[in-house]
Amino acid sequence: MCALKALGVEFIVAAYEADAQLGYMYSAGLVDAVISEDSDVLPYGCKVMIAKLDQAGDCQVVDISWALKGGSKLKEKSNEQEDQRLSFRELRNKYGADLANLRDWTKEMFIDACVLAGCDYSHACNLSGMGIKTAMKLVNKYRDWQRTLRALKIEDKFRKQLAYEKCAIGFPAFETFRKNFELARAVFFFHRVFDPRTKRCITMTEDTRCERISSARI
């Protein structure tokens, strides 16, 4: 930080996790892209992620600015406008069937798929055999996180892992999984971040559609 100050470089120290801070700044229209090696910035709201950046300037860019309903408050860029005009068939040819579905997803659905597939906060609800492709297909099929979790109980691949034998802490296995999933999911909605415009800490979202987890359930 001393070096940055000496060079006159503006910077922000995240109140908690840097991933959440970066995702918030993108969603708020304060930055155009995020440089990171952690894909958790995507469910936090970032739609343009620069990874593997080296000294020569070579990098990999993950750009889903054309996807999801809502998102950054930045003005639409030409590539966003172009992709939004494409039909689903054209998007499928360009990005593949699974990614093309993201055009009509909500932010909530994207977070659900990321938590289900595995993220920094979902270790307590990871399922063997659940990867990002499977998670995306399930969320795309059921559209709602509660319906998606209920469907896991009848999926041959996962129902044995969610059987109703008692766990060590005294809850049925599925209810324990559900609780842990809700807790991991809530982080992406209610993480505390610093708003450089108002100079105060706020939650990631004030969206009332995102169900708050009551203290009783936690």
Side-chain angles (χ1 to χ4, degrees):
M1 289 191 292
C2 293
L4 292 175
K5 289 179 179 178
L7 293 171
V9 176
E10 184 179 0
F11 65 92
I12 292 174
V13 178
Y16 294 95
E17 290 285 343
D19 298 336
Q21 183 69 45
L22 293 170
Y24 170 75
M25 292 178 71
Y26 180 91
S27 296
L30 300 176
V31 297
D32 295 302
V34 166
I35 301 173
S36 178
E37 298 302 318
D38 193 336
S39 59
D40 273 0
V41 297
L42 299 175
Y44 272 124
C46 176
K47 290 188 176 184
V48 182
M49 170 184 164
I50 300 171
K52 310 297 182 184
L53 180 63
D54 61 25
Q55 293 181 341
D58 295 323
C59 64
Q60 296 177 5
V61 178
V62 178
D63 185 350
I64 56 171
S65 57
W66 53 272
L68 308 181
K69 298 175 182 178
S72 173
K73 296 178 182 177
L74 292 169
K75 293 182 179 179
E76 291 183 339
K77 302 176 180 62
S78 59
N79 67 313
E80 292 179 80
Q81 295 171 338
E82 175 188 352
D83 286 337
Q84 287 171 354
R85 288 196 299 266
L86 296 177
S87 66
F88 178 79
R89 183 175 182 178
E90 291 171 316
L91 285 172
R92 184 177 58 190
N93 291 336
K94 186 174 182 179
Y95 298 110
D98 291 334
L99 285 180
N101 289 325
L102 292 177
R103 182 190 63 178
D104 299 320
W105 277 29
T106 62
K107 175 185 176 181
E108 290 88 345
M109 291 171 66
F110 187 67
I111 290 173
D112 294 343
C114 291
V115 173
L116 196 58
C119 66
D120 287 348
Y121 310 105
S122 63
H123 302 300
C125 56
N126 285 348
L127 293 173
S128 177
M130 178 67 76
I132 187 62
K133 286 188 176 181
T134 300
M136 289 179 67
K137 287 178 180 177
L138 287 168
V139 171
N140 191 64
K141 180 178 181 180
Y142 296 104
R143 316 298 289 185
D144 172 82
W145 72 271
Q146 297 184 67
R147 290 182 61 206
T148 300
L149 295 196
R150 286 196 296 268
L152 292 176
K153 294 191 294 184
I154 60 174
E155 289 278 342
D156 291 338
K157 196 173 183 179
F158 306 112
R159 62 182 179 181
K160 289 184 179 180
Q161 298 180 59
L162 298 172
Y164 277 78
E165 68 270 10
K166 293 287 183 178
C167 296
I169 59 174
F171 290 99
F174 177 75
E175 290 305 316
T176 301
F177 172 82
R178 177 191 171 96
K179 178 182 177 181
N180 290 331
F181 182 91
E182 284 188 89
L183 290 172
R185 183 179 188 269
V187 173
F188 291 100
F189 293 113
F190 306 119
H191 201 296
R192 300 285 288 176
V193 294
F194 177 73
D195 186 344
R197 298 164 298 185
T198 61
K199 308 297 183 184
R200 65 187 183 91
C201 284
I202 60 173
T203 55
M204 285 288 295
T205 179
E206 302 295 337
D207 193 339
T208 56
R209 293 176 303 162
C210 305
E211 307 94 331
R212 292 185 178 275
I213 299 178
S214 68
S215 57
R217 297 205 66 167
I218 294 177

